[in-house]
Amino acid sequence: MLGRALVYAAFGGMLTATFAYTYNFFSGDEKFLKIARIGFHIGAIFVILTAGYLMDLVLTHQFQYTYIWSYSSYEIHPPLLISTFYVGQQGSFMLWTMYTAIIGLILMAYSRKHHYESSVMGIFSSIATFLILMAVVKNPFERVWQTWPQTVPAGFMPTDGRGLNPLLDNLWIIIHPPILFLGFASTAVPFAHAFSGLLRKDHDNWTKVAVPWTLFTSAVLGFGITLGGFWAYETLGWGGFWGWDPVENSSFIPWLLAVASIHTLLVQRRTGGFKRANFIMGMLPFLLVLYSTFLTRSGVLGDTSVHSFVKPGMWVYVLLVIFIAFFAILGFGLYLIRVRDIPKKRINYTFSSREFALFLGAASLVVIAGFTLIGTSAPLITNILKGKPSAIANSYYIKTNLPLAIFMAAMIGLGQLLWWKKTNSQTLLRTLQLPLTAATILTVIVIFAGMHSIWMVMFFLASAFALFVNLEIGYKIAKGNPKFLGASLAHIGVAVLFIGIIASTHYDKTVTLELKPNLPQKAFGYELTYVGPHPLTGTKVAYDVTVQSGKSKFVAPLVMYHSAYNGGAILRHPYIFSLVNYDAFTHPKLLGFIASNMLTRDLYLSPQGMEMTGGSSLQSSRYGITVPLQMNDPTNVGRYTFTFTGFQVPPNEREAMMEGKTFDLGSIVKITSKDGASQTIVPTNEIIPNGESELHTLKISSGDKFTVTDVHVDSKTKQASIDLAYMPAKKSPDMALLKQAEDGPNTANEALVLEATIKPFINLVWGGVVIMVIGFIVTWRRRREDLLRENI
Amino acid sequence: MKAKYIIGGVVIAAFVVFGAISFMQNNIAYVSAKVAEQTHRTVQVKGSWVKTMKTFYDPTTNTFHFYMVDDHHTILPVVLAGAKPNNFEIAPNIVAKGRYEDGVFQATNVLTKCPSKYQSKTGPEASTQQSASKSYN
């Protein structure tokens, strides 16, 4: 019961801090400030101790705890073992809570220095309190016999845990969630500052104290989201890095809002405008983190997503609703009370001012967040409107967000060229010339290279323009004061990211190859040869494919295996020839091979399965290819799908049949060709009582011939089946099939089926994000220095 | 000042209309297999894989053929454009997205419910280590 005691102690500490800070703020009683600090320290220390205790249980394999049993096993060793701490719901909340506690300790010193402690820490403590409440409601220290009192005897110690899903058995599970959750947890800080600004009727200074944290959130969350995308690209084998899944969207939306608020906060800093909007913008990222958590953790999305969401129980649902409602009502309520007092500063900006461009840029980010939010909430919305939840196609996100992204890219370029207040149009035209010309030339080149979609051309032009403007300005700044380089870097990163997205998601090419052993096939200028399997650890098998380009070649081990954890399912992992390929550490020459062949385009090899080919599955007789048909079971052979639906005896023959004399038996078969045309044929057999039968061949208009060569009724199941012989017409492409069938199973070969995809310039996606994140960090440092100098 | 609000209002209204239309157009309804057979729209059908019926992959067309059964016990033949999805065998539920054409459901995408988040109903069993994975089904 140690775990529970730790949780209660943490809860008590944080609750004390919440009330004591709040009381201190309103009364000014210094005694309560001391109590609050002690309370928060106790709370934070016990949160850390709780997390430490859970980690100890993880590391020592205490399978009597349901949480440990559910996600871990003796087979899992550190560092992967550490990640089993947060793969489940309770653990990920624990991680979030722990980050909140640690951030809170830093924030306490920070807000004390900037004279905001009681108001900022009061609301922040209440957030921590709610998070700890989650561990009270959904206890991570529940024992297996408490979870399953009917089936598990008290005191039972399982011999081993259930283990980790091998899909998660990956380097990225160690890196991605800790970074993402740090981003989530940090959104509470700008929220607390905005709230504190409202409380104190402090309309300007709070933004200066909050902005370094907003930049921190943007950097961490942006990096975390991209790591998730990279993980999906590298492990899951569907070839993409972003699928507009609710889980992805739910971290994307707060990030978009945090980035938008950086821009609106900058306008306030420079002009004094947006005072009201910035209170809302400061609070939104955190509220959206809460809403997203509700969407993905409460079970409301049900079965409308790829990810399955455990129904966590009613209490978690209720607590999450209260959590969102509490902070939304508190934040917006206080805003409504205070909004009249907030001075509205008239800013006289023109359409050609940087303020206006920043406003448009931030507005497009907010609208993108809004569209994405509505799409992600589609199951909720349709449930309310239609009474039945349904999801939305990814085309929705592209259709709504693409025009905005194009507009945003243009603003990223234009905004940097505009001056505060007003821009001289001649100056603008002069500075516009170089980047616009460069972008146009580059766009014309890519149009000739094959970019024909008007949307993509516009997106590319806008992104290239943004890139060149920011390169030009960044170059000038770098020569002057590199400390101010943040914005240029971040915008260069975004432009590079956009170009990478355009190239890799719209101009990728895929072929499906059936590789017979040692028979090379060409794809995208590479020669691919399947050379055979070799066993890896456990049930894992690598199917080795050599990839040759020029004289050099490398082996790509395509891993497929039956996963015992997943009930014997086949799991497949792609192999990617890309700059981010860690085999290069062990094969020094690989890096050179990739650099000379795959620098501008990844070669993505995704195994699909081992298939028998060479006619092994088909047999033939002199009547043609034998197609065994079960009743009502459509079977595809060549260009037709055959469905045997039953027998038919002409009325005048029925008597003969009953009397056991010779009669005609028709087999009704529906044949559907690939072009969709379908017809029903009834080939007949003359059944002769001595057990023989005379076969009648039926020829249809296409020249294909059909004969029923065998009729069989299972004596037990009464299930009827026939063998239909299919003789393709002379010129039919199915003649090849007949040839294969005639060759028989002797020539059967196992072939590796794989999808080979080239992903042009996908490195720009990863590179762009890295540049952008560096930009955030540079600006973060600059704002920290500003803050110290301004002495707020 | 007034002009600013009018322009702003029109822009917001335009976005709302644009968003609403896109939403309606791209909303993929969840329907039963029976309804899916009667409509030409892109729909989603939730159900499970019929393990006893024929399942095969056609490497020449890169299509995966199988049967699914929906919650109303209607069996639907499905042709997926692509190979067998990951986790296919163990997914308690699948969602096929596509259109019904030529007597089969031409799926562009089959979602398998990622089982990592499914919780055990019975908990650990006493006998062997193997029991752990058995308690899944």
Side-chain angles (χ1 to χ4, degrees), chain A residues 258 307 344 385 421 562 586 640 767:
Chain A
H307 294 77
K344 248 192 127 167
L385 296 179
K421 291 191 177 137
H562 291 272
T586 43
Y640 292 114

Side-chain angles (χ1 to χ4, degrees), chain A residues 148 151 165 303 305 308 310 382 386 388 390-391 393 395 399 512 566 572 608 611 633-635 753 755, chain B residues 19 23 25-28 30 46 54 57 62 67 83-84 86 90 113 116-124:
Chain A
W148 298 281
T151 51
N165 189 333
D303 38 51
S305 156
S308 285
V310 180
T382 49
K386 296 183 190 166
K388 211 172 161 188
S390 61
S395 51
K399 192 174 176 184
T512 305
N566 288 331
R572 317 172 178 91
Q608 306 290 309
E611 297 293 332
D633 182 9
T635 303
V753 180
E755 268 187 7
Chain B
F23 188 89
Q25 281 176 348
N26 295 288
N27 185 16
I28 305 173
Y30 263 91
K46 189 189 143 215
K54 186 151 59 192
Y57 170 74
N62 191 25
Y67 290 84
K84 187 195 280 181
N86 262 346
I90 32 124
K113 291 303 180 177
S116 70
K117 309 225 175 122
Y118 272 83
Q119 284 176 328
S120 170
K121 286 196 179 69
T122 53

